[in-house]
Amino acid sequence: MRIFYGFGIRAFYAVMWLASWFHPKAKKWILGRRIPLSSYKVPDNKQVVWFHCASLGEFDQGLPVMNAYKKAFPESFLIVTFFSPSGMEFYNKRDHRVDLALYLPLDTKIKARKFVDHFNPRMVFFVKYEFWYNHLKCARRNGAGIYGVSSLFRPGHRFFKWYGGFFRKALRLFDHFYAQDQRSKDLLNSIGIDQVTVTGDTRYDRMIAVKERSTDNEIIRTFAEEKPVLILGSSWTIDEEILVPALFELRRKFKIIIAPHDISEKHIEQIAAEFDNDVERYTNFLNLGKDILILDTIGQLTNAYQYADLAYIGGGFTGKLHNILEPGAFGIPIFFGPKFSRFPEAQLFLDHEVAYTIEDSFSFEKAVEEALGRRAQINERLSQIFARNQGAAKKIISSLS
C-alpha cells in the first residue's frame, strides 16, 4: 500500500501541474511549493512548534490553540503549513501569533524528511482531519510530540474501512487526539486508539473572541438602518438561484446583504443582474437607499453579522456548508440547505431549534417568518450553546503543560 500511496501522491502533483496552466489556484499551489526550504530561517534559540492546517477553515479551528500556546510559551517559534492556497492567502486577515507560514511540501519520503530536518519541530499539531503519513513519520523519528486538534472523524472515513490499514498507521503515530465529539472518540477507540480526549470544537473559542473584538463598520451600519437585516453569507451560485424568488419578496421587509463565496467581477455582475442592478456594492457604496448590498470584497462578512437579524449560510446544497458558528456567535437565527451531515454543529443547532434547513424558496420564506418571531428566544439559546462549548483551547493547553 505504501508504494501505491507514493505513486498516488506523485500522480496528484502531476494533475495539479497540468491544471496550473489553466487555473490560478492550481498555479499558486504549484508555485508556492517551489520556494526552497533554505529561504525559511528559524532563530537558533527558538523551539519550533508546528501546526498543519488544510486550509483557512482549519486555521480558524486551530487558531485558539495556537494563540493559547504562544501565550503560555512565548519563546516558542510557531510555524503553520497549509495544503490549500486559501490558507496562505488569507490567514494574515486573522488575529494570530504565527511566526512563519508556508505550503506543506508534497508528502513524499524525501520531501518530508527534508522539511522535518530543516525545522526540527519539538511539537506537532494536525488540525481536524488531514493527516500526511510521511511528514508524521519523520516527525515521530525526530522525537516530536504529535497531537490532533479538534479532530473529527466519521464512519465513512477510510481509516475505518477494511482497506484502511495503511491509513490507520498514520493515526497511530499520534501521542494524543483532542476530539471534537464523542463519536470521533468512539471511532478511534474502535481501531485500538485510546489516547483520546473529547475537548470540543475550538471554533467556539475563536468566535467568542471575534465577537468581543468586533468593531463598527460605518458602511454596513448605514445600509442596515430602518429595516431588519437578512444576510446571505458565503453563498454559492446554487444558493442564490434557489433564494432569488424569495429575496424579491423579502426585500420589501428586509435590508438584504449578499456576501457571495465567489467575488469575481463576472459573478458579482450576475447577482446584480438578477435584481435588475437595483443594488449597491460595498466597494462603491453611495447610500442610495437600495435594499440589497453586495459585499464584493473579502474580510467584511464576519463583522457584518453584528448588524443582522437573520442569516442564511451557503454551501448546504453542495455538502460544503460554510461556518455557521460565525452568525451563531452573534445570536441570530440561521438557515442552510439540506446537505449538512458532515457538520456536527449544524445538527446541534437544529436540535436546539436555533437553525432551520430549507429545501426551496418557499420553505425559506416560511422559515424566515417563523424565525423573526422567535428572535429573542433563539438569541438566548445560542448564548447558552456557546457558553457550554467554550474552553476547548484551554483544556488542550492545560493537558500539555
Side-chain angles (χ1 to χ4, degrees), residues 63 306 334:
L63 190 56
Q306 67 181 299
I334 299 161

Side-chain angles (χ1 to χ4, degrees), residues 281-301:
R281 294 192 183 197
Y282 181 86
T283 55
N284 188 33
F285 182 71
L286 299 175
N287 195 20
L288 300 175
K290 308 289 187 179
D291 291 320
I292 297 176
L293 175 69
I294 301 176
L295 299 187
D296 55 348
T297 183
I298 295 292
Q300 307 303 326
L301 175 58

Side-chain angles (χ1 to χ4, degrees), residues 385-396:
I385 290 171
F386 275 77
R388 286 195 300 268
N389 285 278
Q390 67 179 330
K394 184 177 180 180
K395 293 174 186 176
I396 293 170

Side-chain angles (χ1 to χ4, degrees), residues 176 185 188-190 192-197:
H176 205 90
K185 181 179 187 298
L188 289 171
N189 291 165
S190 73
I193 297 176
D194 297 321
Q195 62 276 21
V196 188
T197 303

Side-chain angles (χ1 to χ4, degrees), residues 182-377:
Q182 185 63 39
R183 182 178 70 169
S184 295
K185 181 179 187 298
D186 292 341
L187 285 168
L188 289 171
N189 291 165
S190 73
I191 57 173
I193 297 176
D194 297 321
Q195 62 276 21
V196 188
T197 303
V198 178
T199 50
D201 189 340
T202 51
R203 289 180 301 164
Y204 285 96
D205 293 333
R206 167 169 155 68
M207 290 316 307
I208 290 171
V210 167
K211 179 184 177 183
E212 291 174 348
R213 293 195 303 269
S214 59
T215 57
D216 181 48
N217 184 307
E218 184 178 0
I219 290 176
I220 296 177
R221 174 171 47 78
T222 300
F223 172 79
E225 293 174 347
E226 299 176 359
K227 294 181 181 179
V229 175
L230 168 63
I231 288 184
L232 270 65
S234 300
S235 58
W236 293 56
T237 300
I238 187 172
D239 298 300
E240 294 150 7
E241 290 175 348
I242 290 172
L243 298 185
V244 160
L247 297 180
F248 265 105
E249 296 299 318
L250 292 172
R251 64 178 177 171
R252 300 175 182 177
K253 301 178 182 178
F254 291 87
K255 290 281 192 172
I256 298 171
I257 298 174
I258 303 175
H261 178 67
D262 175 8
I263 61 166
S264 66
E265 182 63 23
K266 179 180 179 181
H267 187 60
I268 297 298
E269 289 178 354
Q270 289 173 342
I271 296 173
E274 291 284 0
F275 299 98
D276 301 322
N277 292 305
D278 189 27
V279 303
E280 286 218 60
R281 294 192 183 197
Y282 181 86
T283 55
N284 188 33
F285 182 71
L286 299 175
N287 195 20
L288 300 175
K290 308 289 187 179
D291 291 320
I292 297 176
L293 175 69
I294 301 176
L295 299 187
D296 55 348
T297 183
I298 295 292
Q300 307 303 326
L301 175 58
T302 302
N303 209 36
Y305 287 125
Q306 67 181 299
Y307 303 102
D309 295 275
L310 307 169
Y312 174 90
I313 304 303
F317 284 95
T318 64
K320 297 180 179 180
L321 182 64
H322 286 271
N323 191 349
I324 66 171
L325 295 183
E326 287 187 342
F330 290 93
I332 56 180
I334 299 161
F335 313 88
F336 45 81
K339 298 180 180 180
F340 58 85
S341 61
R342 294 171 52 209
F343 304 90
E345 66 275 15
Q347 189 60 58
L348 176 68
F349 280 16
L350 290 171
D351 291 343
H352 286 80
E353 299 182 336
V354 297
Y356 298 79
T357 54
I358 64 108
E359 300 284 345
D360 50 32
S361 183
F362 175 76
S363 63
F364 178 57
E365 282 193 72
K366 184 177 179 181
V368 164
E369 183 178 353
E370 179 184 334
L372 196 61
R374 298 182 56 238
R375 176 79 166 80
Q377 181 191 55

Side-chain angles (χ1 to χ4, degrees), residues 47-48 115-123 142:
Q47 185 180 83
V48 172
F115 175 86
V116 172
D117 286 347
H118 179 77
F119 290 110
N120 192 28
R122 293 296 85 202
M123 301 191 78
N142 275 29

